[in-house]
Amino acid sequence: MAALVVTPHATSAQEYQTLLRDFDTKALSYSEKRFIQAALAFEGDYNGLLDGAWGKISQSALERYSRREFGTPYEEWHLAFLAISYLDRYETDGWSMRYFPALRLSLLWPEKTIIQDPSTDQFLNFRHYGSSLSISIGRHTKTQTQSLHDFTIQSHALSSEPYTVRKTNFAVSSGTKSDGSTLYTRSNFIDGAWSTVMLSADRRDKSVLNAVTASIAVGHSPALSIDEGGRLEDAIIKTVAVLKDASEEDERSQAASGASNATEPKTTRREGSGTGFFVSEEGHVLTNAHVVKGCANLYVDGNQAELLSSSDQFDLAILKTDFAKDDEVAVFSTGSAKLNADITVVGYPYAGVLSGLNVTRGSVSSLKGLGGDAITMQVTAPVQSGNSGGPLLGPDGEVVGVVVSKLDAVKAAEVFGDIPQNVNFAVRGEIAKLFLAQNGIDPILGFSDEIKSPVAIAEEASAFTVFIECR
């Protein structure tokens, strides 16, 4: 996939208006339509082929996505966020089209996060490290292929009929098991044998399974890409510019407000949001100092919160709020994060635009921060506005840091002439534990090095990660 280069430029009033108009799919190329179809499939809205043909199924999927995520009919800037969501998946998992010569088939494949399991007589077996998706591939006789499809149909436990397609050289069977998981089998008769792809996934990962099924094609399938200088890239660049301009305008407005009230007490009131996480059963929440700075009122998951302590040096703060029976307390690692160790970032980015808890994964790329700063470390997990204050978790699900910032891509492009990839920072876990101890809070420490699955880490983190609002 070609890298997307964002060239900073001033945003005109006309460009603001174009972002708010209805999107015309005729302006998209074949490759851009396939890219959007893949993104919609991963979001769970599209259940069709990645064929670049934009019909009723694609249009309805786009409308569902826009209304669910933004509460409005589709607009051009919605496509930018949709495209970015797939770019994040590509960056994290490596989802891209892969051709299998033995099968003569192409399909979406998570290059960075695929694990090969032991083979069987009939299949090469793989599983996706980032979800419950399992993939089995093989070449079979007619009898073997028939038994595989019969097995798939027999797995169906719903009152409705299982999904089947039967043609001379093509067969598809899909069944839903009693636990809600899906088993999908597709076979193509190619060069004297049946090439079969069998997929399975839990209910929560059905969208991932559907994205892979939508991608399966005979022969070499084109890569999913955004055309350089094309309509979709233009929408992304303009959306990034609008968000940047809106942020700068907010800062200018705050500065002007402060200047006009110079005779009044110097109290800065602002609005915004961020992330935090419970560090005690007494309702103590750890977050970044910059998340809560200048806030007149603070709320944690909608409940009133009190600021107890803040450190600009560490960029950490402690809040106090209600601790519900469904909440959990984060466990800190006893050791330091290791270079190149796997990490998970949990938070609430782009509040009001994106919905729900967001989880991304990466690794520790440097044990020091910008300019050799010993308080922070550098990580590759994608970090967005609103992730600040969220927990940085090791492969055992224990806290090894606190997300603090990302390198400003637009400013970096102005300085370096390019956009550095995955340059994000977190306060080191040792600093966070020190700050808590300084404020009379003993963090819970974990002594197990058991590696947990990404799904288990995300489920556990959802119970102690909180959404912070500054009103």
Side-chain angles (χ1 to χ4, degrees):
M1 182 182 297
L4 176 63
V5 178
V6 179
T7 304
H9 67 288
T11 307
S12 66
Q14 182 179 3
E15 287 175 333
Y16 278 109
Q17 292 172 0
T18 61
L19 288 173
L20 298 177
R21 71 186 180 200
D22 289 347
F23 172 68
D24 182 8
T25 56
K26 295 179 181 178
L28 287 184
S29 68
Y30 163 78
S31 60
E32 290 173 328
K33 289 175 182 176
R34 290 183 69 239
F35 191 94
I36 290 299
Q37 286 173 336
L40 287 168
F42 274 113
E43 293 295 326
D45 297 297
Y46 180 67
N47 191 14
L49 299 176
L50 306 187
D51 55 7
W54 199 270
K56 291 183 179 180
I57 295 177
S58 300
Q59 190 66 25
S60 297
L62 179 59
E63 291 174 357
R64 280 194 299 273
Y65 168 79
S66 291
R67 291 194 178 278
R68 184 186 69 252
E69 295 296 328
F70 306 106
T72 64
Y74 59 92
E75 295 172 353
E76 185 169 330
W77 67 279
H78 297 176
L79 283 183
F81 275 93
L82 180 60
I84 290 171
S85 73
Y86 180 79
L87 289 171
D88 283 344
R89 290 180 185 275
Y90 171 77
E91 191 64 42
T92 302
D93 291 343
W95 285 105
S96 56
M97 294 301 301
R98 180 174 177 181
Y99 175 66
F100 291 85
L103 298 179
R104 284 75 156 178
L105 296 175
S106 298
L107 63 149
L108 272 171
W109 197 257
E111 299 287 354
K112 297 181 182 179
T113 50
I114 195 73
I115 299 172
Q116 184 164 2
D117 287 331
S119 302
T120 61
D121 292 339
Q122 297 191 31
F123 283 113
L124 293 176
N125 300 306
F126 305 86
R127 56 190 167 91
H128 178 217
Y129 185 67
S131 72
S132 60
L133 177 69
S134 294
I135 308 173
S136 297
I137 58 176
R139 293 269 286 174
H140 307 107
T141 65
K142 181 178 179 180
T143 301
Q144 290 172 326
T145 303
Q146 183 64 57
S147 67
L148 292 172
H149 284 270
D150 289 344
F151 176 78
T152 302
I153 292 172
Q154 291 166 7
S155 72
H156 188 71
L158 302 183
S159 57
S160 59
E161 292 294 319
Y163 176 78
T164 59
V165 175
R166 295 291 185 271
K167 295 183 179 180
T168 304
N169 59 353
F170 175 69
V172 172
S173 302
S174 181
T176 302
K177 299 181 181 180
S178 58
D179 60 2
S181 62
T182 299
L183 181 62
Y184 173 95
T185 303
R186 167 174 166 157
S187 302
N188 287 81
F189 188 72
I190 305 172
D191 296 339
W194 289 87
S195 294
T196 298
V197 178
M198 182 175 278
L199 308 170
S200 66
D202 294 343
R203 185 194 324 228
R204 65 179 180 273
D205 296 318
K206 188 175 181 179
S207 61
V208 179
L209 182 145
N210 286 344
V212 177
T213 63
S215 71
I216 302 173
V218 176
H220 288 272
S221 186
L224 295 173
S225 62
I226 296 175
D227 294 344
E228 185 175 352
R231 193 69 188 88
L232 188 54
E233 182 186 75
D234 182 62
I236 295 172
I237 291 173
K238 287 178 180 178
T239 300
V240 171
V242 167
L243 292 173
K244 178 174 179 288
D245 288 354
S247 175
E248 291 178 347
E249 179 61 31
D250 184 60
E251 292 177 0
R252 287 193 294 269
S253 176
Q254 291 180 23
S257 176
S260 63
N261 297 317
T263 58
E264 298 179 3
K266 294 183 179 180
T267 57
T268 303
R269 295 170 60 95
R270 71 176 187 87
E271 294 184 353
S273 65
T275 305
F277 56 100
F278 281 112
V279 292
S280 82
E281 292 184 347
E282 285 71 47
H284 294 109
V285 172
L286 184 64
T287 187
N288 287 148
H290 76 261
V291 169
V292 299
K293 189 173 184 179
C295 296
N297 296 288
L298 287 165
Y299 295 85
V300 171
D301 285 345
N303 299 316
Q304 187 87 38
E306 175 188 3
L307 176 61
L308 298 184
S309 180
S310 180
S311 169
D312 290 336
Q313 178 186 7
F314 295 155
D315 198 358
L316 293 173
I318 299 173
L319 310 181
K320 180 74 177 300
T321 188
D322 294 332
F323 188 80
K325 63 179 181 179
D326 294 331
D327 294 326
E328 298 289 344
V329 176
V331 175
F332 281 74
S333 174
T334 56
S336 304
K338 304 300 182 184
L339 190 64
N340 204 35
D342 292 335
I343 51 92
T344 300
V345 168
V346 184
Y348 293 90
Y350 294 125
V353 180
L354 301 181
S355 60
L357 193 68
N358 184 272
V359 180
T360 60
R361 297 190 298 114
S363 62
V364 177
S365 54
S366 176
L367 297 179
K368 290 189 177 182
L370 198 61
D373 174 26
I375 293 175
T376 60
M377 58 184 171
Q378 184 178 326
V379 298
T380 65
V383 171
Q384 312 297 341
S385 176
N387 274 122
S388 293
L392 184 78
L393 306 174
D396 54 5
E398 296 173 357
V399 177
V400 294
V402 181
V403 177
V404 66
S405 65
K406 63 181 294 185
L407 192 64
D408 188 309
V410 176
K411 291 181 180 178
E414 294 173 339
V415 175
F416 304 117
D418 193 9
I419 298 180
Q421 299 296 312
N422 300 328
V423 182
N424 308 305
F425 301 97
V427 177
R428 297 176 62 87
E430 311 92 279
I431 301 297
K433 287 185 287 186
L434 172 63
F435 177 66
L436 291 175
Q438 289 174 339
N439 288 276
I441 300 171
D442 295 324
I444 298 177
L445 302 180
F447 297 93
S448 173
D449 293 327
E450 178 186 359
I451 304 299
K452 296 180 179 178
S453 72
V455 172
I457 291 176
E459 289 177 345
E460 292 178 3
S462 66
F464 57 72
T465 306
V466 296
F467 177 55
I468 297 176
E469 293 176 278
C470 172
R471 303 178 187 173

